[in-house]
Amino acid sequence: LDPKSPVPPNRIACSVMRFRLCLLLSCAVTWNDPAFGASNRCDAGDRDHACAEDASSLLQAWRRGDHDRRHASCTHCLASRPKHLQFSAAIEALHNVSEEIGGLGITMTVFDACGQLAFQHTVGSAFCTRVGCTDYSTGWSAEQVHGVFSVSKMISSATFMAAVVEPGLASLDSALQQLLPDIFGGGNAYAGVTPRQIMSHTSGFPGDTVMFEISDCFRTYPHPDNLNYSDTTAVNLEECIRQLSNVTPVAPPGAHFEYSDSAYEIIALLMERLAGMTMGEAFQKYLGQPLQMKSTSLDC
């Protein structure tokens, strides 16, 4: 996702799409795993696991305002890195998958517990450049800046957790009638829906095909089923949510799984109302800047 980020465990090297046209293979390996031998500790033999703890605490240090924090005990990671990691089976699997889907570009990246690159291998060349994968380009590499499409839902969820849930502005189980009473109050069909249900696609909001036909929210969404596609936006975020609030649910909240892109628009509005930031601003504050993801943005 962001080749300029010096914090590689959080770089997404390949987009995972629900259309099964791209594959993410990224692993974080702790060198004190028995599979690599007891002597290959990331913290060079120190049995207090300080190196792994140090790596996992950097983000918390940033949030506390300690932007100068460095790994205190990871200085020996390179020296203690295992010399013989076997990836032949994984590489063979990458080649097989890539060939089966037309030479799709896939990168496997493995990092140690201190966030340092241990191994990387790329196969294939093609990658999707448009939602629905109607357009492709070639020249895939581990340095390619690439849209993550539906994987952005996980990033949006993590951003919402950091900006809204962790500070106590709302819980995952707060009802929309409480959080957005001017839109979902007064007996609205979605009044009892919660952020947890939205994120797990059990809110009752319909899927894309229905929304394309009955709302103006997604005119600029270049999907093959979007017959009303336009280059210009018809409504702003709040107007979009007001339209969505009047759509007939496919099921009561929590009763049925229905993959819904549109419901995530509500998460973006909650971010603005509760945290006073756009989704993009919150992403930069809680994830992008701390992880130094200099080529990454989250646009809503």
Side-chain angles (χ1 to χ4, degrees):
L1 177 65
D2 190 343
K4 296 181 180 179
S5 170
V7 191
N10 298 280
R11 181 179 70 194
I12 299 177
C14 183
S15 168
V16 179
M17 304 173 59
R18 63 189 174 102
F19 302 103
R20 203 176 65 86
L21 289 175
C22 201
L23 177 67
L24 169 67
L25 289 177
S26 63
C27 307
V29 176
T30 304
W31 296 141
N32 58 10
D33 191 300
F36 299 107
S39 63
N40 288 323
R41 292 186 177 276
C42 175
D43 49 4
D46 186 355
R47 296 180 180 276
D48 64 0
H49 303 285
C51 182
E53 293 172 1
D54 219 37
S56 65
S57 68
L58 280 181
L59 188 56
Q60 294 298 326
W62 179 281
R63 289 178 181 174
R64 293 193 303 269
D66 184 4
H67 297 174
D68 295 324
R69 174 74 180 276
R70 297 290 184 270
H71 293 295
S73 53
C74 289
T75 56
H76 302 295
C77 282
L78 288 173
S80 62
R81 177 170 296 164
K83 297 180 180 179
H84 303 290
L85 297 179
Q86 301 299 320
F87 291 103
S88 56
I91 291 173
E92 182 179 357
L94 291 181
H95 280 283
N96 292 340
V97 171
S98 177
E99 291 174 1
E100 288 177 3
I101 12 184
L104 184 72
I106 306 173
T107 296
M108 178 179 71
T109 305
V110 178
F111 303 95
D112 65 21
C114 296
Q116 296 170 329
L117 181 66
F119 178 84
Q120 190 170 77
H121 186 82
T122 296
V123 300
S125 177
F127 61 96
C128 177
T129 59
R130 189 180 178 93
V131 175
C133 286
T134 55
D135 297 316
Y136 283 84
S137 185
T138 58
W140 174 265
S141 74
E143 304 304 314
Q144 179 70 44
V145 177
H146 187 252
V148 296
F149 303 116
S150 286
V151 177
S152 64
K153 292 180 177 63
M154 290 185 283
I155 300 170
S156 298
S157 297
T159 302
F160 181 80
M161 292 291 292
V164 175
V165 178
E166 289 185 3
L169 301 177
S171 78
L172 285 174
D173 299 307
S174 299
L176 291 184
Q177 63 183 347
Q178 172 190 351
L179 301 176
L180 298 170
D182 57 316
I183 300 176
F184 294 101
N188 184 273
Y190 299 102
V193 169
T194 67
R196 187 189 301 274
Q197 291 168 339
I198 291 174
M199 293 178 187
S200 61
H201 299 284
T202 58
S203 63
F205 282 95
D208 292 344
T209 304
V210 173
M211 292 302 188
F212 290 153
E213 297 176 355
I214 61 180
S215 81
D216 296 316
C217 298
F218 308 105
R219 285 191 179 181
T220 58
Y221 186 47
H223 191 280
D225 294 333
N226 189 3
L227 302 181
N228 297 317
Y229 175 78
S230 171
D231 290 332
T232 58
T233 301
V235 292
N236 61 31
L237 180 59
E238 182 169 330
E239 292 169 342
C240 169
I241 303 307
R242 291 188 181 278
Q243 288 187 3
L244 299 183
S245 71
N246 294 318
V247 175
T248 302
V250 297
H256 173 74
F257 177 89
E258 180 78 11
Y259 193 96
S260 177
D261 287 319
S262 59
Y264 264 78
E265 303 295 332
I266 299 172
I267 296 297
L269 184 60
L270 287 173
M271 181 74 73
E272 292 189 3
R273 291 279 192 94
L274 300 175
M277 294 178 282
T278 65
M279 184 65 76
E281 291 168 344
F283 165 76
Q284 292 297 338
K285 178 178 180 178
Y286 291 98
L287 293 176
Q289 292 178 4
L291 299 175
Q292 300 179 49
M293 301 173 74
K294 299 176 182 179
S295 296
T296 303
S297 64
L298 179 60
D299 302 320
C300 178

